[in-house]
Amino acid sequence: MRSAPTILHLDMDAFYASAEQAAKPSLRGKAVVVGGLGPRGVVATASYEARRFGVHSAMPMGQARRLAPNAAYLVPRFGLYREVSEQVMGLLRELSPLVEPLSLDEAFVDLEAGGVADDEASARAVGERLRSDIRAVTGLTGSVGLAVSKMLAKIASEEAKPDGLRLIAPGTERALLGPMSVRTLPGVGPATGDHLRRGGITTVEEIAEAGEDELVRLLGKAHGGSLYAMALAQDERPVVAERDTKSVSVEDTYDVDIHDRVRVRTEVARLAERCVQRLRAAGHSGRTIVLKVRRFDFSTLTRSETLRGPTDDPGVVREAAARLLESVDTTGGVRLLGVGVTGLADYTQEDLFAQAQAEAVAAEVEAAAEAGVVVGAEVSAGADESGAGEPEAEAVEEAVGPAPAERRWAAGHDVRHAEYGHGWVQGSGLGRVTVRFETPGSEPGRVRTFRTDDLDLELAEPLPLVGVGVPSGWAEREGARVAPVAPGQE
């Protein structure tokens, strides 16, 4: 292990919830919970104000609502979170070529490899400057841990939360770890923690005192040996700049079990499209298509099909997923569906036959529509049986226009009104949608209610969290004043 605390771990503070508070002035300083809002939803992130009520990540949303009934409950806006994450990761890459992202809001950095730190003083200076830069660029806060290893740096950032910096000086690691719970160490979850507790081991110091042989007897050679080494503050894992992506997948959990087979097929096709979008965004293609189905009784089935070569063609993935679905019995109801692609590659070998077939079907349907032939639901459903229904439906929609449908307004999503400007959805129901009109740079805005089919109201893209003031004309119309800019955000 190195002799200076030059491994940095950054963890953004309550990332999703903090981003929502920064975007919505009326929520600053208030309890905010981000996650799935349906009966089966879970908490993705809770603001520190919500955590005071006992709300935490992975908690069922129903339980969170009971604990904090007056909190703001919002659906995630991953587009915004990814944009902010890219800004933060850009700042980290300015420090070192060795940056190891763990998620959108968390990463390790090897400061020594970047030549920006070689002792305690320089490492601390870099950490403080990073926290300042993150606040200036994103308007958010992050906690920084500095130590001689990845394990210790992560523990230090946890100790620093929220919005702090903790440096573990070389030579003090054992004294720091000793009284901590065994759950502090990586790889010790609830099951392992209970197993150790039954063996009379509850702290890190007790792991060290038990000895490696006892740990191996309790947990096995690999797990026991690594856990004993970590209890002695030994961690030789390097910071790895690139971690290979092994798969790309998307899945949805439904508030009410889906029993209609046609609806299940439609959902699988939609998930396949989303999966390909992610696949292309990552610059990959893949050979193996995977379908995941969780049924009404919580039994989970997976089916897979390997293609002749890697593809990123949505038609190919959609048709493969449809074929896989035919082998799954969904008569009892479906609570979760997922589509994934594995066997990733950086090039694509298109399935030209499938692509040509889809184009031919689309052209045939479009010609029928131009000739005045009505293509009904029976035709679309029949085509879907063979996996070619989606291109047909798209062609008909393009020819005759989309069928009218009530627009859905998710709580927290951005909207724009022709008269009142930018705002966000506070809630909707019974044919009405409530919108608060404010921007990241304004004071808390006013609330107005509209019909869900109001043509002056439309979905909008999120605004940057820093550097955007009040839209032109908005302040005069609403009597708002521009909020003062925080230091470093000019």
Side-chain angles (χ1 to χ4, degrees), residues 75-243:
V75 297
R77 295 188 297 161
F78 289 109
L80 171 64
Y81 308 150
R82 279 191 288 269
E83 289 180 7
V84 177
S85 176
E86 290 172 1
Q87 292 176 309
V88 173
M89 296 303 165
L91 293 174
L92 298 183
R93 293 187 180 96
E94 291 178 4
L95 300 178
S96 172
L98 293 184
V99 176
E100 182 178 343
L102 304 179
S103 62
L104 289 177
D105 62 336
E106 186 180 2
F108 287 110
V109 184
D110 189 333
L111 302 180
E112 187 176 291
V116 294
D118 55 10
D119 57 18
E120 291 185 33
S122 58
R124 184 182 294 277
V126 169
E128 294 290 5
R129 186 171 69 249
L130 173 64
R131 292 177 57 236
S132 177
D133 289 346
I134 289 173
R135 183 186 292 273
V137 171
T138 69
L140 306 180
T141 63
S143 296
V144 169
L146 293 158
V148 298
S149 69
K150 291 168 69 172
M151 177 190 74
L152 292 166
K154 183 172 175 62
I155 291 173
S157 70
E158 287 294 325
E159 293 280 304
K161 281 187 168 296
D163 190 20
L165 181 147
R166 176 73 186 273
L167 184 148
I168 300 178
T172 66
E173 298 92 350
R174 289 287 301 276
L176 173 72
L177 289 175
M180 292 184 173
S181 166
V182 294
R183 294 288 303 276
T184 304
L185 300 180
V188 181
T192 302
D194 288 343
H195 196 54
L196 291 172
R197 180 180 53 79
R198 289 194 295 270
I201 299 173
T202 59
T203 67
V204 176
E205 182 60 32
E206 288 171 346
I207 291 179
E209 292 174 352
E212 185 172 6
D213 292 343
E214 178 65 9
L215 267 294
V216 169
R217 185 186 70 81
L218 289 172
L219 304 175
K221 185 174 182 180
H223 196 186
S226 65
L227 198 59
Y228 178 71
M230 287 188 289
L232 299 179
Q234 297 173 0
D235 178 19
E236 300 291 347
R237 294 174 300 161
V239 176
V240 181
E242 296 294 337
R243 300 199 304 172

Side-chain angles (χ1 to χ4, degrees), residues 350-417:
E350 299 291 356
D351 189 332
L352 298 178
F353 175 76
Q355 186 176 7
Q357 184 183 39
E359 291 174 353
V361 170
E364 182 179 344
V365 175
E366 186 172 355
E370 290 177 352
V373 178
V374 177
V375 181
E378 294 81 4
V379 177
S380 296
D384 199 39
E385 288 284 345
S386 65
E390 182 102 350
E392 181 175 331
E394 290 174 355
V396 173
E397 181 174 297
E398 185 176 348
V400 302
E406 182 179 358
R407 292 184 292 175
R408 300 181 62 185
W409 305 95
H413 276 199
D414 295 84
V415 295
R416 175 167 291 281
H417 191 273

